[in-house]
Amino acid sequence: MAKELKNFTKREDNYSQWYNELVVKADLAEQSAVRGCMVIKPYGYAIWEKMQRQLDDMFKATGHQNAYFPLLIPKSFLSREADHVEGFAKECAVVTHYRLKTSPDGGGVVVDPEARLEEELIIRPTSETIIWNTYKNWIQSYRDLPLLVNQWANVMRWEMRTRMFLRTAEFLWQEGHTAHATKEEAEEEAIRMLNVYAEFAQDYMAMPVIKGVKSANERFAGALETYTIEAMMQDGKALQSGTSHFLGQNFAKAFEVTFMNKENKPEYVWATSWGVSTRLMGALIMTHSDDNGLVLPPKLAPLQVVIVPIYKTDEDLARISAKVEPLVAQLRGKGISVKYDDADNKRPGFKFADYEVKGVPVRLAIGARDLENGTVELFRRDTLEKESVPFEGIEERIVYLLDDIQNTLFRKALEHRERMTVTADTYDEFKEKIEKGGFILAHWDGTPETEEKIKEETKATIRCIPLDGDKTPGKCMVTGKPSAQRVIFARSY
Amino acid sequence: MAKELKNFTKREDNYSQWYNELVVKADLAEQSAVRGCMVIKPYGYAIWEKMQRQLDDMFKATGHQNAYFPLLIPKSFLSREADHVEGFAKECAVVTHYRLKTSPDGGGVVVDPEARLEEELIIRPTSETIIWNTYKNWIQSYRDLPLLVNQWANVMRWEMRTRMFLRTAEFLWQEGHTAHATKEEAEEEAIRMLNVYAEFAQDYMAMPVIKGVKSANERFAGALETYTIEAMMQDGKALQSGTSHFLGQNFAKAFEVTFMNKENKPEYVWATSWGVSTRLMGALIMTHSDDNGLVLPPKLAPLQVVIVPIYKTDEDLARISAKVEPLVAQLRGKGISVKYDDADNKRPGFKFADYEVKGVPVRLAIGARDLENGTVELFRRDTLEKESVPFEGIEERIVYLLDDIQNTLFRKALEHRERMTVTADTYDEFKEKIEKGGFILAHWDGTPETEEKIKEETKATIRCIPLDGDKTPGKCMVTGKPSAQRVIFARSY
């Protein structure tokens, strides 16, 4: 490894520090001058762009359109929906003035006290309120429904303890906000988008997820039901990776949004909202990466293949380049993103280390000896395996390899999750097992009180009530009261 | 025209009102509950997305990468660069608090006075300051240069008089921020991006532009040179459509950004920045649209072709659909976006009017009679021409037509601009001609004082000193002092 990449903390020594170092060393993001806000660096942003593009295609394929609503929300809007204000009004950025002026003492600028807003504005922590205030004008009749809108935007929540990607004051996300004529349609939509998220997580991020329903305690502020996809990180902690909310008629009532139904009678509109954020970057990193740096599933890697020439003389380089350039063109023709790194101001060893820490899935190295032998050195980032293979037919091998890496990463993550998923039938057993991390399937009596007690005593929360799998009833491990099915407990991010 | 589309103000009666109505009736945007901020509706956003995608491809093709920097900027950053603070610190949204609390009287929420920020934060009006503060850590050596970064983001400027797309408090834009080792490279970059903007305006928006340099009065706050593309709207007013700034070493000096050059000596970094915004939506609308609504160049139309069946019976509809569906597939195969609108809850007349007001470039209508005759009715939005043509070979005709509409729109806009561009040799002649609108080529002595006098007396500003065209020297029309070349004056948006 090159010099600046050494001294990488190992996962088993300090998982949290390993993550923080990795984010910086792989050039993904860094802290900014503004508390709790990060700078997403070009390499990190390129991964986010690949996620965005794929999700956006999936949203459009399910009939959604993008739009854009204001960044700022009048303070009074937050109070309209009783649960919502509880959840979101507390820690948020408040705009109170609209002008600065030169400081009277001549040094810099100060807030102009005369430019105070009549009503303060909040930087959106989420946009249900301003969007439903807008939908009031868009919806009159059942013919205007369903309304299937998504927004890509920045939002802000004044978090006290922040970690890059996982929890930042400002973050990037998409928020879907849909309006429907019936309860059934809205519920179907919430499930449809949960499935889109699960498909994206599994097929693109190579990250297995469990689809489920949140308990009342963990529900979105203002929702009747919150659906979630939950993933397990390598340290056995859960990470909530996307949520989809059935909002009932709560926001329609708060903002007076009614429609004339087919019988020409007014009814309140039914709603959903759903979102994923740059938090997925944290999930992606923590699912696959290792002590050598980032590991990326090929479908989300900005650079899938890198080719490094090993040479001493300009003549060697010319011969290697002549051999490599047609391969680069062939790979690009197959839609593979490839870079031929013949920069002469960095040594091959430095390049190897840099691409390794950045998680480029496949690396080829080719030298004068390879030219003679008709070979090339092939390195796969996920298993760190290196082998000398024939140059002939290398492009088919790469196509196969990218596919294999994608599948291997998913299988590995799934095996890890299965290994780290256990059941507990008594509270003592639970307390012992939770210390080892992972998901614990246990019976719960369905009350917020019991959930709260478990959380206080063990720091574990109910991640979800799984939609699929074993539905056998039982008895609550804490109270002995009836339980409809086992639910998933874990400590979480 | 359908009912709600009637009573459209005509351009010649009130151009400004025509524009405001068009934005709403074509479903592009609307005012929001927050003063000066608009909601970009799905149809308007779909056009913006097409612009974004094309510009982003062009930025990447010229070596740029995207990244993301914080929304909020510490107040003190704005004061670091003397000119910049003058230009931007004045009218901006100021975040002073980070928490709300339940109102003591129980009604709603109020700002928590205990949650006051030590230093106020400004919602970015532009990001030079926070980005150069970040670049300080990214740049050590000439090997780190050039740094070619772009950001897609929302920004905020507290404008007093706003108009949708043209001037709004919050708007969407891209801002490129590049760092270079030499003055020459930075100047080249600024010109390169000016050319990218001009190419985009002409080839995609079908909007002719004049490339030029801004006078000192009109320069970006903190720039040594501002390059601009200027377009002419149908009312003869100018619209600045994109700017590219050569920033010299001003921001490097303000934020202490130096690099070790090849001789291992420290030097300040050279900078550019360049941006276009949702203002381009206003430019697009005002360049091509007519008294019937929006007119879109096919390359930026979310929907390029719409097909409307005209039928009385379900059997007719089935026969028409059988004929149309293979055509839809063929057109899509050629990358054309097409919609077959067989919705049965709207009359054909309503559909025609709706697609006309939304500027769909090509409309086909097909009825039972057409099936018998082997014909189809073809309507092109730009010229409003309607003709009955053979169904046979219609897909080639559409491909040709989309191309022809794109070219016709550009030619029409160019002819309009040429017709409305005149010269003036005396100030009296200038004063007379400026009343008729358009661009006036006149000699100017190069001083801010003369420019200011002309602006006060005629409301016309120097749009730019053109880079191309006639460079014959002359005498200032106001002072008689020497002038290096004619410059372009106009009233502007």
Side-chain angles (χ1 to χ4, degrees):
Chain A
M1 301 280 278
K3 197 169 148 226
E4 69 258 45
L5 304 173
K6 279 183 184 166
N7 303 319
F8 216 140
T9 299
K10 289 189 163 34
R11 285 166 294 175
E12 60 173 45
D13 293 337
N14 187 336
Y15 191 79
S16 170
Q17 194 175 321
W18 164 81
Y19 173 81
N20 294 341
E21 287 178 14
L22 178 53
V23 167
V24 171
K25 292 198 176 169
D27 236 10
L28 302 175
E30 65 182 38
Q31 298 290 359
S32 79
V34 182
R35 208 192 130 282
C37 296
M38 65 181 164
V39 172
I40 306 179
K41 298 186 77 172
Y43 190 61
Y45 200 85
I47 301 170
W48 175 241
E49 276 183 308
K50 295 209 83 162
M51 290 190 176
Q52 273 192 305
R53 184 70 63 99
Q54 181 56 38
L55 284 164
D56 198 68
D57 286 349
M58 293 169 92
F59 299 157
K60 283 177 177 151
T62 42
H64 302 84
Q65 293 179 292
N66 290 326
Y68 188 76
F69 298 86
L71 170 71
L72 299 177
I73 298 178
K75 190 189 65 178
S76 59
F77 279 25
L78 290 185
S79 321
R80 297 265 202 108
E81 212 286 324
D83 291 328
H84 196 68
V85 69
E86 275 307 303
F88 287 106
K90 296 312 161 61
E91 310 295 332
C92 55
V94 189
V95 177
T96 55
H97 292 75
Y98 58 84
R99 193 162 56 224
L100 298 174
K101 61 172 192 174
T102 307
S103 168
D105 65 12
V109 284
V110 294
V111 177
D112 183 347
E114 294 186 6
R116 196 183 166 85
L117 288 168
E118 273 183 50
E119 179 182 2
E120 294 89 353
L121 298 166
I122 310 305
I123 296 181
R124 60 183 164 218
T126 180
S127 301
E128 278 77 7
T129 57
I130 189 117
I131 288 180
W132 278 86
N133 185 65
T134 307
Y135 281 180
K136 187 168 50 184
N137 305 318
W138 293 8
I139 300 169
Q140 272 89 40
S141 143
Y142 70 92
R143 285 189 203 86
D144 300 321
L145 297 171
L147 195 55
L148 306 172
V149 175
N150 175 61
Q151 163 170 279
W152 290 96
N154 52 344
V155 287
M156 195 139 208
R157 297 172 189 180
W158 211 269
E159 302 284 355
M160 283 300 121
R161 292 207 324 251
T162 63
R163 295 191 68 190
M164 284 190 285
F165 292 120
L166 295 173
R167 195 177 297 276
T168 48
E170 183 189 9
F171 56 92
L172 303 183
W173 81 344
Q174 61 68 217
E175 45 181 327
H177 295 274
T178 69
H180 306 266
T182 67
K183 182 169 186 278
E184 292 67 34
E185 276 181 40
E187 282 175 330
E188 269 169 34
E189 167 77 5
I191 295 281
R192 180 180 304 117
M193 299 322 289
L194 181 78
N195 287 329
V196 164
Y197 289 156
E199 185 188 332
F200 174 74
Q202 309 208 147
D203 295 354
Y204 291 85
M205 296 176 67
M207 180 176 81
V209 293
I210 291 177
K211 293 186 277 187
V213 183
K214 285 287 185 189
S215 64
N217 275 5
E218 301 280 330
R219 224 175 254 156
F220 175 79
L224 297 191
E225 206 75 277
T226 286
Y227 299 95
T228 179
I229 52 170
E230 298 283 329
M232 188 194 290
M233 302 298 98
Q234 291 179 60
D235 60 350
K237 280 167 105 173
L239 193 140
Q240 175 181 307
S241 303
T243 49
S244 179
H245 316 291
F246 168 59
L247 302 171
Q249 296 172 311
N250 287 352
F251 286 92
K253 285 176 181 167
F255 290 89
E256 282 296 325
V257 188
T258 59
F259 71 101
M260 299 305 267
N261 66 18
K262 287 190 182 171
E263 291 75 42
N264 211 31
K265 296 220 169 84
E267 273 189 69
Y268 284 111
V269 177
W270 298 86
T272 83
S273 68
W274 29 274
V276 294
S277 72
T278 36
R279 191 165 216 236
L280 287 182
M281 292 284 296
L284 185 72
I285 296 163
M286 287 205 296
T287 299
H288 304 300
S289 301
D290 62 24
D291 292 343
N292 296 335
L294 191 64
V295 175
L296 288 174
K299 285 188 185 175
L300 295 179
L303 187 57
Q304 296 172 310
V305 178
V306 66
I307 307 174
V308 177
I310 316 285
Y311 61 95
K312 289 203 180 98
T313 65
D314 285 351
E315 290 69 39
D316 280 355
L317 177 60
R319 286 168 57 224
I320 295 168
S321 299
K323 184 92 176 176
V324 167
E325 274 152 17
L327 173 63
V328 169
Q330 276 171 357
L331 291 172
R332 290 204 177 125
K334 292 179 193 286
I336 294 169
S337 69
V338 51
K339 178 176 171 181
Y340 176 46
D341 186 354
D342 59 355
D344 62 2
N345 57 356
K346 287 168 190 153
R347 286 171 299 106
F350 178 90
K351 293 177 186 175
F352 288 5
D354 188 42
Y355 293 120
E356 197 169 317
V357 91
K358 285 188 170 142
V360 177
V362 174
R363 184 184 77 215
L364 300 182
I366 183 162
R369 178 78 58 93
D370 288 305
L371 287 187
E372 282 166 30
N373 299 344
T375 56
V376 59
E377 187 187 271
L378 181 65
F379 173 79
R380 59 184 282 177
R381 177 64 186 86
D382 62 335
T383 60
L384 301 171
E385 285 162 353
K386 197 155 70 175
E387 56 177 331
S388 182
V389 301
F391 192 91
E392 179 81 33
I394 187 70
E395 67 274 17
E396 285 80 15
R397 193 187 269 261
I398 288 172
V399 170
Y400 167 80
L401 191 55
L402 290 172
D403 205 38
D404 190 51
I405 294 172
Q406 183 82 27
N407 297 335
T408 302
L409 287 176
F410 179 78
R411 203 175 52 244
K412 243 164 96 175
L414 184 61
E415 282 165 10
H416 168 74
R417 187 186 78 191
E418 286 175 349
R419 205 164 49 238
M420 299 282 284
T421 301
V422 295
T423 58
D425 291 320
T426 69
Y427 195 30
D428 282 341
E429 188 186 353
F430 180 86
K431 284 179 185 162
E432 193 193 311
K433 288 185 171 170
I434 199 69
E435 292 305 322
K436 294 176 195 141
F439 288 173
I440 301 187
L441 285 158
H443 282 291
W444 160 65
D445 63 14
T447 69
E449 294 74 23
T450 304
E451 184 178 4
E452 197 55 46
K453 176 186 159 79
I454 296 169
K455 184 177 175 181
E456 270 167 33
E457 293 175 356
T458 68
K459 292 185 193 139
T461 51
I462 298 174
R463 301 318 305 156
C464 69
I465 303 155
L467 293 179
D468 306 320
D470 183 15
K471 303 275 185 185
T472 317
K475 283 182 176 161
C476 176
M477 64 173 173
V478 178
T479 64
K481 290 181 189 162
S483 154
Q485 68 171 94
R486 287 179 191 268
V487 302
I488 296 179
F489 285 90
R491 289 178 182 160
S492 74
Y493 281 94
Chain B
M1 303 280 278
K3 198 169 146 226
E4 70 258 44
L5 303 174
K6 279 180 184 169
N7 302 322
F8 216 142
T9 299
K10 287 187 165 38
R11 285 168 291 177
E12 59 173 45
D13 293 338
N14 187 336
Y15 191 80
S16 171
Q17 194 175 318
W18 163 82
Y19 174 81
N20 294 341
E21 287 178 17
L22 178 54
V23 167
V24 171
K25 293 198 174 170
D27 237 9
L28 302 175
E30 66 182 38
Q31 297 292 357
S32 79
V34 182
R35 205 190 133 284
C37 295
M38 64 180 165
V39 172
I40 305 180
K41 299 186 76 173
Y43 190 61
Y45 200 85
I47 301 170
W48 175 241
E49 276 182 306
K50 295 210 81 162
M51 288 189 177
Q52 274 192 303
R53 183 69 64 100
Q54 180 56 38
L55 283 165
D56 199 66
D57 286 348
M58 292 167 91
F59 298 156
K60 283 176 177 151
T62 43
H64 302 84
Q65 293 179 292
N66 290 324
Y68 188 75
F69 297 85
L71 171 71
L72 300 177
I73 298 179
K75 189 188 67 177
S76 59
F77 278 25
L78 290 186
S79 323
R80 296 266 203 108
E81 210 287 325
D83 292 329
H84 197 68
V85 68
E86 276 305 304
F88 287 105
K90 296 312 162 57
E91 311 295 333
C92 55
V94 188
V95 177
T96 56
H97 292 74
Y98 58 86
R99 192 161 59 223
L100 298 174
K101 61 172 192 174
T102 308
S103 170
D105 65 12
V109 282
V110 294
V111 177
D112 183 345
E114 293 186 8
R116 196 183 166 84
L117 289 169
E118 272 182 52
E119 179 182 2
E120 294 90 352
L121 298 166
I122 309 305
I123 297 181
R124 61 183 162 218
T126 180
S127 301
E128 277 77 7
T129 57
I130 189 114
I131 288 180
W132 278 86
N133 185 65
T134 307
Y135 281 180
K136 186 169 48 186
N137 305 320
W138 294 7
I139 300 169
Q140 271 88 40
S141 142
Y142 71 92
R143 287 189 201 83
D144 301 321
L145 298 172
L147 195 56
L148 305 173
V149 175
N150 176 61
Q151 162 169 277
W152 290 95
N154 52 344
V155 287
M156 195 137 208
R157 298 174 186 176
W158 210 269
E159 301 284 354
M160 284 299 123
R161 292 205 324 248
T162 63
R163 296 190 67 191
M164 284 190 285
F165 292 120
L166 296 173
R167 193 177 298 277
T168 49
E170 184 189 10
F171 57 92
L172 304 182
W173 80 344
Q174 60 68 217
E175 45 182 327
H177 295 274
T178 69
H180 306 265
T182 66
K183 181 170 188 276
E184 291 66 36
E185 276 182 39
E187 282 176 329
E188 266 170 34
E189 167 76 5
I191 295 281
R192 178 181 305 117
M193 299 323 288
L194 181 78
N195 287 330
V196 163
Y197 289 157
E199 186 187 332
F200 174 75
Q202 309 210 148
D203 295 354
Y204 291 84
M205 297 176 67
M207 179 175 82
V209 293
I210 290 176
K211 293 187 275 188
V213 184
K214 285 286 187 190
S215 63
N217 274 4
E218 302 280 330
R219 225 176 253 154
F220 176 78
L224 297 191
E225 206 76 275
T226 287
Y227 299 95
T228 180
I229 52 170
E230 297 283 329
M232 189 194 289
M233 302 296 100
Q234 291 178 61
D235 62 349
K237 279 166 107 173
L239 193 141
Q240 175 183 308
S241 302
T243 49
S244 180
H245 315 291
F246 168 60
L247 302 171
Q249 296 172 312
N250 287 351
F251 286 92
K253 285 177 181 167
F255 290 89
E256 282 297 325
V257 188
T258 59
F259 70 102
M260 298 306 264
N261 66 18
K262 287 190 183 172
E263 289 74 43
N264 212 30
K265 298 227 167 79
E267 272 188 70
Y268 284 112
V269 177
W270 297 86
T272 81
S273 68
W274 29 274
V276 295
S277 72
T278 35
R279 191 166 216 233
L280 286 182
M281 291 287 293
L284 185 72
I285 296 162
M286 287 206 295
T287 299
H288 304 300
S289 301
D290 63 24
D291 293 343
N292 296 336
L294 191 63
V295 175
L296 287 174
K299 286 187 185 174
L300 296 178
L303 187 57
Q304 296 172 308
V305 177
V306 65
I307 306 175
V308 178
I310 315 287
Y311 61 94
K312 289 204 179 94
T313 65
D314 286 351
E315 291 71 36
D316 279 356
L317 177 61
R319 286 168 57 226
I320 294 168
S321 298
K323 182 91 175 175
V324 166
E325 275 152 17
L327 173 63
V328 169
Q330 276 171 355
L331 291 173
R332 289 203 179 127
K334 291 178 193 289
I336 294 170
S337 69
V338 52
K339 179 176 173 182
Y340 176 46
D341 186 355
D342 59 355
D344 62 0
N345 59 357
K346 287 169 189 152
R347 288 168 300 103
F350 178 91
K351 293 177 186 175
F352 288 4
D354 189 40
Y355 293 119
E356 197 169 315
V357 92
K358 285 188 171 142
V360 177
V362 173
R363 185 184 78 214
L364 301 182
I366 184 163
R369 179 76 59 89
D370 287 304
L371 288 187
E372 283 164 32
N373 299 344
T375 56
V376 58
E377 188 187 271
L378 181 66
F379 172 79
R380 60 184 281 177
R381 176 63 186 88
D382 62 333
T383 59
L384 302 170
E385 286 163 352
K386 196 156 69 177
E387 56 176 332
S388 181
V389 301
F391 191 91
E392 178 81 30
I394 187 70
E395 66 274 18
E396 284 81 14
R397 193 186 270 261
I398 288 171
V399 170
Y400 168 79
L401 192 54
L402 290 172
D403 205 39
D404 190 51
I405 293 172
Q406 184 80 28
N407 296 334
T408 302
L409 287 176
F410 179 78
R411 203 173 52 241
K412 243 163 96 173
L414 184 60
E415 282 165 8
H416 168 74
R417 187 187 78 189
E418 286 175 350
R419 207 165 46 240
M420 299 282 284
T421 301
V422 295
T423 57
D425 291 318
T426 70
Y427 196 30
D428 282 342
E429 189 188 349
F430 180 88
K431 284 178 183 163
E432 193 194 313
K433 287 183 172 170
I434 199 70
E435 292 305 320
K436 292 175 197 141
F439 287 173
I440 302 188
L441 285 158
H443 281 291
W444 160 64
D445 63 15
T447 69
E449 295 73 26
T450 303
E451 184 178 4
E452 200 53 49
K453 175 187 159 79
I454 296 168
K455 184 176 176 182
E456 270 168 32
E457 292 175 356
T458 67
K459 292 183 192 141
T461 51
I462 296 174
R463 302 317 305 157
C464 70
I465 303 155
L467 293 178
D468 307 321
D470 183 13
K471 303 274 186 183
T472 317
K475 283 183 178 161
C476 174
M477 65 174 171
V478 178
T479 64
K481 288 180 190 162
S483 153
Q485 69 171 94
R486 285 177 192 269
V487 301
I488 295 179
F489 286 91
R491 289 176 181 160
S492 74
Y493 281 94

